[in-house]
Amino acid sequence: TNEERELLVPASAFGSDGTMTVEFRCADPDGRIGAARDWLKLYRKPMNFEMAFLRGMALVLLQSVVVLSLTLMASTFLSAPLSVLLGILLYVVGSVHGYIHDGTREIDRSLTEMKESPKQERHGTEDLPEWVLRFSTTLSGWVLKVVPDFQEFDYSKWLLKNHAVSWRELGGAAGHALPPVLVLGFL
């Protein structure tokens, strides 16, 4: 469960380097402890709900800043409908970034299998020509380098699990948002 419990930890539990080793054990003999390492955390003190919510909203703001910086940059060269369309396209590609990455890996795997198989057995994915597959992986690779992964800004993965966004995670998301915003601001 996502229960929070308050524990008093004596200072002697901490080592000379400031670390503390924690061991979790089930109270019931048939019980299990199952958690991802990232979600099993100890907090020093209860945190303010409003501050935790603001950090989550900062993730949404960072994502919006990336999209809006592209539309602002595009509006200096293109018409308003085209710049908005470009912003929507960035949002869609950033949202499916992981799927594009997985698909590119699968196509690369298919291409290596095609190289290793005899010439008469060579068939691409869905019987597409080999040059189409190579072009799509190359183009997808360029897109993945340019468009940030919007999973970094997804507040729902914390909100739905009843966890707060830490300052470190917020800083990591800001690190992903800053390069495209600076480049688009320069352009």
Side-chain angles (χ1 to χ4, degrees), residues 110-123:
S110 296
L111 287 171
T112 56
E113 288 175 1
M114 286 171 51
K115 279 184 180 178
E116 295 169 358
S117 67
K119 288 245 184 210
Q120 54 269 52
E121 293 180 19
R122 282 192 178 188
H123 293 289

Side-chain angles (χ1 to χ4, degrees), residues 7 9 13-14 19-25 33 37 40-43:
L7 302 171
V9 179
F14 292 94
T19 60
M20 179 177 75
T21 303
V22 178
E23 183 177 334
F24 291 94
R25 294 187 186 174
I33 296 175
R37 178 179 219 133
L40 195 58
K41 295 183 179 179
L42 295 175
Y43 296 101

